[in-house]
Amino acid sequence: MIRRIAAVAIRRDSAAQQGSVEDQVYSELRDRFMSGVYLPGEVLTLRNLAANLGVSPMPVRQAVRCLIVEGALEMLPNRTMQVPRMTRDRLAELLSVRRALEGLATEAACRVVTPRQILAIEKIHALSHKAFESGEMRRSLVMNQRFHFALYEAAQSSVLMPMIQGLWLQAGPFMHLALSSTAGMRWDGTHHLELLQALRDGDPTEARLAIERDINKTAEALLVTPHFAAGRTEAPERRVARG
Amino acid sequence: MIRRIAAVAIRRDSAAQQGSVEDQVYSELRDRFMSGVYLPGEVLTLRNLAANLGVSPMPVRQAVRCLIVEGALEMLPNRTMQVPRMTRDRLAELLSVRRALEGLATEAACRVVTPRQILAIEKIHALSHKAFESGEMRRSLVMNQRFHFALYEAAQSSVLMPMIQGLWLQAGPFMHLALSSTAGMRWDGTHHLELLQALRDGDPTEARLAIERDINKTAEALLVTPHFAAGRTEAPERRVARG
DNA sequence: GGGAAAAGACTGTGATCACAGTAGGTGCTT
DNA sequence: AAGCACCTACTGTGATCACAGTCTTTTCCC
């Protein structure tokens, strides 16, 4: 049974989308994972994804393989692919590595960031804060992500950036599942403001500490959610992919 | 012109090699990159690789895409694939991230490592040292890698291990190019011994410092080599793939 | 003889088909 | 009515072909 709910053509966004079809598929799927389109435990199939993206299965195969290598997708022994469930241990590890890598990136960024970039980051923070105040949690999460990535991009590191993206990619589905509801989420942008001040002062160490505090805050919010998988023996609850 | 120098079947090693052909190809290519089979700047093509591995181009395509995502391979604007050249900046970044991640893994390993595992690591160190003494640099490098990975594997982290492997994968071709000659390489296993002592003492902080010192030592040895690419405007010098 | 143009080889990419294995559903048998 | 077997639908995987580029080489003309 092939359910084509909305066969959105992959070229929808940005008229002059360039690159091969596979690159577009890969990019689109990355965005979807980071945006929480797919939920932990959800089962995806090549042909459904292809139909949903409006492309042939071929480019999807390779994009999906890459996502598996990155840990954003899991291949079960049955050869079926599913969005990995999250365990408390795994989340703690991800956050630990985030602290290390994003701390490094923040230090590097602080040393070379331009006033113009700082302004852009401030702007993104304002948007995130505004979205949070109006209860648009989804949008606030996305803007928060943009805030972090705008910062790390200033570091201009071709090593750190892909690794950090990989971490967000792995945590994406779970983060959106756990935080997209307003319940129990009392976020304040204190650490973001501290970071911005450190950037203006050109104080890498303080900037690093601010980011680490921000990640710790996220950790506190995430680790209390009841969304964790109990282990390898959890109930099936296999969600069928929507596309 | 298809040059089949040695069309080695992919199933050569270990009779009961399991998994799909693509998994085997991917695994084999990873090993080759980490072993320095391919040199920085070398150009690889799908069909040559496929012929060399004795498989059809199809599985190679996907494996190669994954390697590109991991940063082990580069795709030029011409759509040709080449082993990335190394720059001093990039190497410094890789080593910086290695310090952070392998430090983390070492701490974690130190907390859960068993005496039996410590013995195994000691054994590997002895082999590495012995190979170095007899001038077998290639073998010494491989054993050194096994030493590190045996340590990190003790940490049992499904997050850290793949990331660290990715780092070694990116640095692999350059490391072997720079260090496989005995010239200018005066390695001593002091830091390895310090690490082993810290493991026995159950002192995570000291273990972490020992690994960091070890990586710093490697950094010193690597950063003085004259093998760096000058930048984006370097001479072509495109080595043709051997397969 | 030198330079421009065309022909050739070879590249990655995408589509389509065949295949083996699995999961789930249906119908028959006991 | 319950249990078992078969059968259908669907999964990822691999192979093969066609195609549009690029790069090299050859060939023709000035």
Side-chain angles (χ1 to χ4, degrees), chain A residues 94-140:
Chain A
L94 281 171
L95 289 164
S96 174
V97 177
R98 273 195 56 192
R99 248 188 315 263
L101 260 45
E102 297 182 29
L104 234 51
T106 303
E107 277 185 3
C110 192
R111 294 199 183 87
V112 297
V113 71
T114 66
R116 186 180 184 79
Q117 287 174 318
I118 295 180
L119 241 71
I121 298 174
E122 278 176 339
K123 218 168 185 172
I124 298 175
H125 169 68
L127 288 173
S128 177
H129 185 68
K130 190 178 165 188
F132 179 80
E133 289 294 325
S134 28
E136 302 173 83
M137 297 307 296
R138 203 71 171 234
R139 178 171 164 75
S140 178

Side-chain angles (χ1 to χ4, degrees), chain B residues 190-210:
Chain B
T190 308
H191 303 311
H192 283 193
L193 295 177
E194 290 168 2
L195 171 85
L196 283 163
Q197 188 56 46
L199 287 185
R200 280 187 290 260
D201 296 344
D203 186 342
T205 304
E206 181 51 42
R208 179 197 190 105
L209 289 174

Side-chain angles (χ1 to χ4, degrees), chain B residues 75-86:
Chain B
M75 171 153 284
L76 293 115
N78 328 346
R79 290 268 159 205
T80 66
M81 304 171 304
Q82 81 167 12
V83 183
R85 297 172 190 283
M86 187 61 75

Side-chain angles (χ1 to χ4, degrees), chain A residues 23-42:
Chain A
D23 290 339
Q24 297 172 38
V25 169
Y26 178 61
S27 175
E28 169 71 17
L29 287 182
R30 268 180 90 99
D31 281 350
R32 290 193 182 186
F33 269 84
M34 288 214 198
S35 307
V37 173
Y38 302 118
L39 276 63
E42 189 164 342

Side-chain angles (χ1 to χ4, degrees), chain B residues 1 45-47 61 65 79 81:
Chain B
M1 172 184 59
T45 68
L46 290 181
R47 289 172 173 87
R61 278 165 65 169
R65 280 309 279 215
R79 290 268 159 205
M81 304 171 304

